Amino acid sequence: MLMTVYNCSPPHHKHGMDPNGTAFPVQLYIYDLSRGMARQLSPIMLGKQLDGIWHTSIVVYGEEFFFGGVGISSCPPGGTMLGPPDTVVELGNTEVTEEIFMDYLSSLGETTYRGERYRLFEHNCNTFTNEVAQFLTGKKIPSYITDLPSEVLSTPFGQVLRPILDSIHIAPPGGNVINSHNNHS
């Protein structure tokens, strides 16, 4: 399986790298799905301050890639209904070619990141961007994003809401679903 091969190669390994040594910038787009409401309401509802409800995506090779209830999708940067991101984090550069990356995404889309595997708390857009960021750059996304689900679930209100929240699948419209039958070239 492709994923096993990639996970065995350290990020600096030259297998699958651009022979010309071309480096491609990798960015993390961060969106607050609550549009500022989490900041205002979280102290009242959860008893703790949350700065946002984060949706993230990876931007590389001139495309924005994200995971949601329909699986892995892509669109032009900022092309979902969420509009421009609230924050852009520069994750560094990658020498992984676009072709290798698309094969990697296809593999993820057929296994770990199929649409029906989406879970708002345990397996979401941020889980996806964290894994992809490490594949491309060896760096993780900021921990305040990946720690958010456990922060919410540690509150009594989060526990009460969990059954409802677990049934929610977030996939901002405006992207193309990536799977084995829809490879970019």
Side-chain angles (χ1 to χ4, degrees), residues 28-88:
L28 179 72
Y29 275 25
I30 304 171
Y31 301 88
D32 176 10
L33 294 175
S34 77
R35 303 228 183 255
M37 294 298 286
R39 193 175 293 114
Q40 295 171 19
L41 297 178
S42 61
I44 303 158
M45 298 183 73
L46 299 177
K48 63 166 55 179
Q49 179 72 52
L50 299 179
D51 290 327
I53 305 297
W54 309 117
H55 167 76
T56 58
S57 58
I58 292 285
V59 175
V60 64
Y61 317 111
E63 281 281 300
E64 180 174 353
F65 299 93
F66 54 94
F67 173 64
V70 296
I72 300 170
S73 303
S74 72
C75 66
T80 69
M81 67 173 279
L82 299 173
D86 295 298
T87 310
V88 175

Side-chain angles (χ1 to χ4, degrees), residues 7 14 28 52 63 72 80 85 90 106 118 127 136 141 144 175:
N7 287 342
K14 287 297 177 195
L28 179 72
E63 281 281 300
I72 300 170
T80 69
E90 302 293 335
S106 261
Y118 181 91
T127 318
L136 289 172
I141 68 171
Y144 75 87

Side-chain angles (χ1 to χ4, degrees), residues 29-178:
Y29 275 25
I30 304 171
Y31 301 88
D32 176 10
L33 294 175
S34 77
R35 303 228 183 255
M37 294 298 286
R39 193 175 293 114
Q40 295 171 19
L41 297 178
S42 61
I44 303 158
M45 298 183 73
L46 299 177
K48 63 166 55 179
Q49 179 72 52
L50 299 179
D51 290 327
I53 305 297
W54 309 117
H55 167 76
T56 58
S57 58
I58 292 285
V59 175
V60 64
Y61 317 111
E63 281 281 300
E64 180 174 353
F65 299 93
F66 54 94
F67 173 64
V70 296
I72 300 170
S73 303
S74 72
C75 66
T80 69
M81 67 173 279
L82 299 173
D86 295 298
T87 310
V88 175
V89 175
E90 302 293 335
L91 294 174
N93 293 318
T94 186
E95 292 179 10
V96 175
T97 64
E98 185 173 2
E99 183 184 6
I100 294 282
F101 180 67
M102 294 312 292
D103 286 346
Y104 167 72
L105 281 189
S106 261
S107 171
L108 289 183
E110 291 167 13
T111 56
T112 323
Y113 291 97
R114 293 200 311 262
E116 72 271 12
R117 298 234 170 138
Y118 181 91
R119 297 290 175 272
L120 187 64
F121 287 108
E122 288 89 9
H123 196 66
N124 56 33
C125 59
N126 304 322
T127 318
F128 170 76
T129 55
N130 196 38
E131 190 167 324
V132 172
Q134 289 177 76
F135 172 77
L136 289 172
T137 68
K139 295 183 186 135
K140 295 182 176 193
I141 68 171
S143 60
Y144 75 87
I145 294 169
T146 50
D147 291 346
L148 182 68
S150 59
E151 283 192 52
V152 171
L153 292 176
S154 71
T155 67
F157 192 63
Q159 284 298 311
V160 170
L161 283 180
R162 179 164 194 157
I164 299 157
L165 296 173
D166 272 342
S167 69
I168 297 173
H169 288 230
I170 296 171
N176 305 304
V177 178
I178 297 170

